Amino acid sequence: MRSLLNPKLHLLVVFIVIISDSIGIHKISLGVGAMILLPLFYAFILATLLNPNVVQASSKIIDKVSVKSSVAFVTIAIMPFIAKFSIGIGPKLNEIINAGPALIFQEIGNLATMLIAMPIAILLFKMGRESIGSTHSIAREPNIALISDKYGLNSPEGVGVMGVYVVGTLFGTIFFSLMASFLASLDIFSIQSLAMGCGVGSGSMTAACSGALVAMKPELEGTITAFAAASNVMTYATGLYMSLFVALPIAEWFYKVLSKKERV
Amino acid sequence: MNNQNKSINLGQSAVLLLLVCFIGLIANHIYGFTGANKESMSFFMRLIEGPSSLIGGMAEAFYGMVVIYLISIVGLAIAKYMPFYLPSIAWISLLAILVASPISPVADIVIATTAKVHFLALTTSVLAYAGFAIGQLEIETFKKSGIKIIVIGLFVFIGTYIGSVIIAEIILKSTGQI
């Protein structure tokens, strides 16, 4: 417990939070579309630069032992966000129930992950069974648990899932907010669908994604948060089972198809 | 499947949650400041005026944060004592939906108090901790798989997001929701 409450780490976090939220939200025009920069984005970059594991010189400010407990705090700090975010569903419950079929079926959207990413992994990068681990799902904690249970984390599948997990941890949040704001600025899809798509990943991906959408369309904040939150709950509740019974068997089959093609 | 949440330490979580909720109050205050006065104030003005009016601003969102804190800790307790496993954030989420839904007698209070807390402000600290949480594992993974895994990872995100958006759009349209 005492190691968890190391004051230096938390004071640095407070300092980073004050700076990042003072910078605020910024919108960048890109000609065809626009992208949104959020405070969480700056916070991640500042903390990465102060992390002695990444930047050696930062060990003068905080040592490697002191940052260790931050892993536990990522899990804890996301809980108040999840609570606040899900409260947003309450007043919109009827709308969400009406959208029930869409919410259930969009979980199948996970399968599109594989259809796009696996051919790239196998045909372009000549990957082996790592591709099953890396592209069968969006590789968050439940998927790692599943892969480690089935193949072991030292197997090729395990290396694959850990790789995408790490990419998600490092770039997922930022990438999701940029992707969502860009797609929203093109005006192809309804805000409800864009918000639902936000819920497919981890809590912070959902936050970044829907935060970017709210920055684009502030007047629709209630709808955006309700749909994103509902989709995120669905992902938490069904994600593991979806991977186990649907995505992973299809990934095994698709791998066979693609690697056969590769041999010919 | 066994409930792996049985090992949750509620006492410890209660203390840690208290700390992150406190940081959340600070973030929320400054966030509100940058949101409302975004155009008219420079970054340095915000940096000075935000923290200096901190105490009064934090009082406004205090009750909302208490509600959020209670939902989080009760959700954790449910996760611990349920006979089957769901991630603890799933329980927190379901509990939050329940107390804010039309059947809840306290829905009005829950919604009104938490309206003062902005969801994005609660995520700044999450990503700060995430930046500090980068360790040997992350660095080793990149040494091993390199740029390939980054490209594949980004295609995984694009595929999942766009796949979900397209399916949602088709079904919402065909059921007449949009």
Side-chain angles (χ1 to χ4, degrees), chain B residues 41-165:
Chain B
M41 288 175 93
S42 72
F43 165 66
F44 291 103
M45 283 300 289
R46 281 183 240 138
L47 201 54
I48 295 160
E49 299 245 339
S52 67
S53 58
L54 208 54
I55 305 298
M58 278 163 65
E60 214 187 21
F62 179 75
Y63 293 109
M65 200 58 96
V66 170
V67 170
I68 287 169
Y69 178 81
L70 289 176
I71 292 173
S72 306
I73 196 72
V74 175
L76 269 178
I78 297 172
K80 183 179 168 80
Y81 292 113
M82 275 289 161
F84 60 95
Y85 171 79
L86 271 188
S88 45
I89 35 183
W91 288 116
I92 292 171
S93 190
L94 292 172
L95 179 66
I97 297 170
L98 187 71
V99 295
S101 70
I103 57 158
S104 157
V106 290
D108 290 345
I109 304 168
V110 169
I111 294 165
T113 52
T114 56
K116 303 272 197 304
V117 182
H118 200 284
F119 78 88
L120 259 190
L122 297 177
T123 61
T124 324
S125 68
V126 180
L127 269 289
Y129 284 117
F132 281 121
I134 298 171
Q136 290 312 313
L137 166 76
E138 281 78 4
I139 294 163
E140 290 298 314
T141 305
F142 276 113
K143 279 189 187 147
K144 229 185 301 175
S145 313
I147 192 87
K148 268 201 281 191
I149 201 72
I150 301 183
V151 176
I152 290 169
L154 296 185
F155 275 103
V156 166
F157 304 146
I158 294 172
T160 313
Y161 185 63
I162 298 191
S164 297
V165 170

Side-chain angles (χ1 to χ4, degrees), chain A residues 10 21-22 25 86 113 193, chain B residues 34 38 46 93 129 134 160 169:
Chain A
H10 303 297
D21 279 310
S22 295
I25 299 171
S86 305
T113 313
S193 308
Chain B
T34 52
K38 207 169 152 188
R46 281 183 240 138
S93 190
Y129 284 117
I134 298 171
T160 313
E169 185 84 3

